[in-house]
Amino acid sequence: MRLRKKLTQQQVADECGISKSLLSKIENGQTASAIATLSKISDVLEVPLSWVLEEKPEQDLVLLPKAKRPSKIGDENMGYSYELLANRSQYTGIEPTIIHVTPKDMNLREDTYTHSQDEFIYILEGAIYLLYNGEKHYMEKGDSAYFQGSKPHLFVPVNNDGAEVLTFFITNPMD
């Protein structure tokens, strides 16, 4: 997270009132630290303390069978629902998701979205119009696109079959 925010160890250490050496040891798991120190670090990095305290080991492989995945989330009347395919690692900025685009007659969404992540999409089923930055692009099964989420965009259903869109939300570590 420190690297994503383009902060040096010295900058974070100075803001927290600790030595650069101590911060390095904390980052590398070479020392335990007081909650107060970790709280200061979380404040500087603008992340919840629970994120810093989380002791889940980074795993080489995380399997998430469909039966154990939470079902669709969201309000279909707003144009989509989604399934998170994997929990985003605290060390990477990629969040794989399936977006279920609501069939045309049920879709009430007209306003575009923006967010800070880049987005890669691949049409799994059906067809959509990708409204992106004021332009309308027809996309069907097998088509893909990569775009900046900070520009206004929306998936619009082409018909009443709806669509499934494999989406990767990508947090740019340079942002």
Side-chain angles (χ1 to χ4, degrees):
M1 185 55 66
R2 178 180 59 76
L3 295 174
R4 281 193 199 152
K5 293 186 175 288
K6 297 181 185 174
L7 296 171
T8 66
Q9 283 184 333
Q10 190 65 59
Q11 289 171 313
V12 173
D14 288 348
E15 290 230 17
C16 294
I18 61 175
S19 70
K20 178 181 169 188
S21 172
L22 177 58
L23 180 62
S24 177
K25 288 178 182 177
I26 292 170
E27 284 185 354
N28 293 313
Q30 296 172 343
T31 187
S33 188
I35 295 289
T37 301
L38 296 177
S39 178
K40 289 177 187 175
I41 293 169
S42 71
D43 287 347
V44 170
L45 297 178
E46 299 174 321
V47 295
L49 178 59
S50 61
W51 189 87
V52 176
L53 293 174
E54 193 172 87
E55 291 190 24
K56 288 184 190 172
E58 188 68 6
Q59 298 174 311
D60 291 341
L61 173 65
V62 178
L63 296 174
L64 187 57
K66 184 175 183 171
K68 292 187 178 181
R69 208 167 47 231
S71 58
K72 294 179 188 178
I73 302 166
D75 180 355
E76 290 188 344
N77 291 328
M78 291 306 291
Y80 70 93
S81 59
Y82 61 93
E83 293 176 69
L84 294 175
L85 297 178
N87 292 331
R88 184 184 348 201
S89 163
Q90 62 181 352
Y91 301 110
T92 66
I94 300 173
E95 190 169 12
T97 307
I98 294 179
I99 304 291
H100 299 272
V101 181
T102 304
K104 188 175 183 177
D105 285 349
M106 293 174 56
N107 192 337
L108 305 177
R109 180 84 192 188
E110 295 178 4
D111 299 329
T112 55
Y113 294 96
T114 61
H115 49 76
S116 60
Q117 301 96 346
D118 285 356
E119 202 167 325
F120 169 81
I121 64 172
Y122 178 85
I123 311 303
L124 294 171
E125 293 293 332
I128 65 167
Y129 292 110
L130 170 62
L131 302 184
Y132 180 74
N133 205 27
E135 295 182 4
K136 186 175 184 179
H137 306 274
Y138 176 79
M139 299 183 72
E140 61 188 10
K141 184 175 179 174
D143 291 346
S144 63
Y146 188 99
F147 56 90
Q148 294 178 337
S150 59
K151 300 219 172 147
H153 62 280
L154 180 66
F155 302 164
V156 177
V158 170
N159 55 38
N160 280 321
D161 295 333
E164 289 186 6
V165 181
L166 176 63
T167 304
F168 289 88
F169 295 99
I170 303 158
T171 301
N172 186 335
M174 305 309 277
D175 285 346

